[in-house]
Amino acid sequence: MTTSRGPWALAGVVAGYAGLATSYCVASLATAHGSAVVAVADLVIRETPGPAAEQAIQLFRHHDKTALVIGVLVILTALFAWAGVLARRGWAGPLVVYGVLALVGVVAVATQRGESPVEYVALAVGLLTWIGALALMTGPLRSPAPVAASEPAPGSTRRGFLLRVGAVAVVAVAVGAAGRAVGASRRQVEQARRLLRLPGITKPEPPAGSSVGVPGMPPWETPNDEFYRIDTAIVVPAVEPDGWRLRIHGLVDREVELSYQDLVDQQDTEAWVTICCVSNEVGGDLIGNAWWGGVRIAELLRRAGVQGGADAVLQTSADGWTCGTPLAVLTDDRDAMLAIAMNGEPLPIEHGFPVRTIVPGLYGYVSACKWVVDLEVTRFSEISAYWTERGWSELGPVKMSSRIDVPRDGGDVAASGGRVAGVAWAQHTGIAGVEVSVDEGDWQPAELARVPSADTWVQWAATIDVEPGDHTVRVRATDEDGLVQTGESQDVVPDGATGWHSVRFTATG
Ligand SMILES: Nc1nc2c(c(=O)[nH]1)N[C@H]1C(S)=C(S)[C@@H](COP(=O)(O)O)O[C@H]1N2
Ligand SMILES: [Mo]
């Protein structure tokens, strides 16, 4: 074993940076955030007590964040070197050092807004790289005490070590550069998005009375960074608004091509619309309600002149995902739109920037195409789309459903005058009533909060009086057509789940 610490420290530092490079590459491939180091710097900014942070910011002027990132890197370098030196005596020492670093990374990622699971994957990849690289480089330093006959010259050990260090460093730099190149296009789009102004868009406050005001209820308006996200994109498409074009073609009299600016200029509709996923289980949370703004598709199709015989529109996104939407729902009075705004801001990148489709009353997989670039007017008999090719139903009208949010399963409710509450939805038909039943007893009506239209979810609440102890409460809705939500359980495949949501709770008091 080499007694000198130098090579071990060097190996530790190179391995550490190799780990940072791969984790950075994974993170920038899949998310809008750059790297764990920046997340840690952000964490430091958030957690530094006010006056100290101000002092630091004064000290570094507007370079505060750069300085912080450099500070984090200096500390990391020292820790990497230390871990390398500890590796002389086995793996326990370096693993503890990295475990602590990974923990800080996890906390930093978890506490930033809108984190994505990919960032944890990135941290794990970084950890594995670091261990692998350290093992690889220190191999020659660990070679067993030489036996007299085959004793390698000390020079060859050093050469082997330096070769490996060099190789790891080169690969790490290449991986880091690749991550940077991929991340650059997204950062550019992120920047373009930040600079956009949408003068026609004015988001109102949620309508008065739309909230039942029961503690623990999710907000009626779902904030963008809490909105559920479902798509097949591992790498989120980076689409510049300037380069964006949408073609409407197929069974039309004249093709229509639109730029992003055309949509901004022609913006003619804004509305509260609740969208949900066909994969939402009974009681699930793959549903959200936002204020969307954009251009009515019916108007665009009228301009294109739809020919007889067409009954579908095949939508295609920038990354090749497709969905087939009934022509009827795009041309009736429900104001299906090419949306450019979500809750008063340009669409977030993960929610389809620069343009997506929103159709009240249909599940997302047959309608809500994100990063949409092509609308082909066609016939269902002539197309197939991403999810229909995988066994999901061709048509996907939203099924009426209701959910209990308060109490959570296993929660507590006051035995006397306790409040239960939740949401119900039947987009584009509307909810006429909600009822709850305790312990399979009679259905009792719940109060409904107000809604601006039939296209959003509605909050409901009910007061229950029960004996202290364990109980079950379930919920069902009735829509504006008088249809009562079925209690028959069906799985999400092929066209959406059915059944009543029920939760167990303990009545206290
Ligand atoms: N391009 C693209 N658009 C897509 C999808 C997708 O995978 N790719 N998924 C759809 C599905 S299944 C749903 S439920 C909604 C979800 O939209 P959100 O992520 O903005 O909530 O987007 C739809 N649009
Ligand atoms: Mo979905």
Side-chain angles (χ1 to χ4, degrees):
M1 191 188 276
T2 308
T3 43
S4 148
R5 289 162 174 238
W8 290 88
L10 175 63
V13 170
V14 173
Y17 276 90
L20 283 183
T22 56
S23 86
Y24 168 76
C25 189
V26 171
S28 54
L29 270 178
T31 74
H33 303 273
S35 73
V37 174
V38 173
V40 170
D42 280 332
L43 177 75
V44 173
I45 290 178
R46 280 199 311 276
E47 295 305 315
T48 307
E54 273 156 38
Q55 260 179 20
I57 289 166
Q58 285 239 313
L59 193 61
F60 298 119
R61 303 257 164 74
H62 15 264
H63 300 304
D64 57 301
K65 193 143 169 182
T66 314
L68 254 172
V69 168
I70 291 171
V72 170
L73 285 176
V74 167
I75 292 169
L76 275 179
T77 306
L79 288 174
F80 287 152
W82 185 44
V85 171
L86 289 176
R88 284 197 306 174
R89 283 191 289 279
W91 280 103
L95 282 179
V96 168
V97 173
Y98 198 89
V100 171
L101 285 178
L103 199 69
V104 173
V106 166
V107 170
V109 168
T111 53
Q112 75 193 349
R113 302 202 105 204
E115 95 271 19
S116 110
V118 181
E119 294 178 63
Y120 300 106
V121 175
L123 280 174
V125 168
L127 170 61
L128 292 177
T129 308
W130 178 82
I131 295 173
L134 191 59
L136 179 76
M137 287 182 288
T138 55
L141 305 179
R142 283 176 206 280
S143 40
V147 213
S150 61
E151 185 175 329
S156 91
T157 301
R158 192 169 62 232
R159 243 193 329 278
F161 170 71
L162 288 177
L163 262 176
R164 290 178 185 207
V165 170
V168 170
V170 166
V171 172
V173 168
V175 168
R180 210 179 152 69
V182 176
S185 63
R186 195 192 353 273
R187 276 192 297 278
Q188 223 172 323
V189 173
E190 191 59 73
Q191 172 81 354
R193 178 180 176 272
R194 252 198 310 277
L195 295 176
L196 277 177
R197 292 293 168 264
L198 302 177
I201 302 290
T202 39
K203 190 190 82 69
E205 289 302 310
S210 57
S211 229
V212 286
V214 174
M217 277 295 289
W220 183 82
E221 170 192 339
T222 313
N224 288 354
D225 57 7
E226 285 169 27
F227 208 95
Y228 83 96
R229 175 183 164 198
I230 297 283
D231 55 60
T232 58
I234 296 170
V235 178
V236 181
V239 184
E240 292 269 5
D242 280 349
W244 182 88
R245 292 285 180 285
L246 177 102
R247 222 179 120 222
I248 303 177
H249 62 109
L251 299 174
V252 295
D253 294 337
R254 35 196 176 270
E255 290 196 6
V256 170
E257 199 182 82
L258 294 158
S259 69
Y260 187 76
Q261 192 57 44
D262 291 336
L263 294 190
V264 174
D265 295 341
Q266 294 163 26
Q267 186 255 315
D268 60 4
T269 186
E270 287 181 89
W272 294 106
V273 178
T274 297
I275 65 167
C276 58
C277 184
V278 67
S279 301
N280 197 29
E281 311 270 352
V282 170
D285 58 5
L286 301 179
I287 178 166
N289 182 48
W291 175 256
W292 307 95
V295 177
R296 288 169 48 237
I297 295 175
E299 167 59 21
L300 299 173
L301 288 175
R302 199 190 52 71
R303 228 183 282 167
V306 173
Q307 297 176 349
D311 65 1
V313 171
L314 181 67
Q315 307 190 50
T316 307
S317 77
D319 65 342
W321 186 84
T322 52
C323 69
T325 312
L327 184 62
V329 303
L330 298 176
T331 48
D332 68 12
D333 63 358
R334 76 183 67 200
D335 291 349
M337 70 170 102
L338 288 178
I340 55 175
M342 180 177 184
N343 286 332
E345 290 175 16
L347 287 180
I349 293 183
E350 317 81 69
H351 294 291
F353 183 80
V355 183
R356 78 171 306 168
T357 306
I358 291 292
V359 183
L362 265 60
Y363 286 125
Y365 83 106
V366 288
S367 69
C369 190
K370 306 195 271 189
W371 314 289
V372 63
V373 292
D374 192 280
L375 300 182
E376 181 189 354
V377 179
T378 178
R379 279 188 274 273
F380 273 117
S381 60
E382 275 164 27
I383 57 169
S384 65
Y386 189 90
W387 285 115
T388 51
E389 282 160 16
R390 289 160 176 79
W392 295 79
S393 165
E394 188 162 82
L395 298 180
V398 170
K399 293 179 181 175
M400 166 182 23
S401 196
S402 51
R403 181 179 84 190
I404 301 165
D405 289 278
V406 180
R408 293 268 159 220
D409 200 41
D412 290 345
V413 175
S416 160
R419 300 279 277 167
V420 297
V423 286
W425 60 91
Q427 290 95 308
H428 210 60
T429 305
I431 293 290
V434 169
E435 298 162 293
V436 295
S437 142
V438 178
D439 301 332
E440 320 251 309
D442 290 345
W443 290 100
Q444 76 174 78
E447 311 132 38
L448 294 187
R450 271 201 232 132
V451 284
S453 79
D455 294 339
T456 73
W457 61 11
V458 56
Q459 295 198 353
W460 59 266
T463 303
I464 52 169
D465 282 301
V466 292
E467 294 295 314
D470 293 342
H471 301 278
T472 302
V473 60
R474 51 191 185 157
V475 64
R476 71 175 186 192
T478 301
D479 72 15
E480 289 284 5
D481 291 340
L483 182 70
V484 179
Q485 184 185 340
T486 175
E488 204 169 301
S489 291
Q490 192 199 293
D491 185 33
V492 295
V493 188
D495 61 357
T498 62
W500 294 326
H501 187 214
S502 77
V503 303
R504 287 156 303 165
F505 66 95
T506 305
T508 55

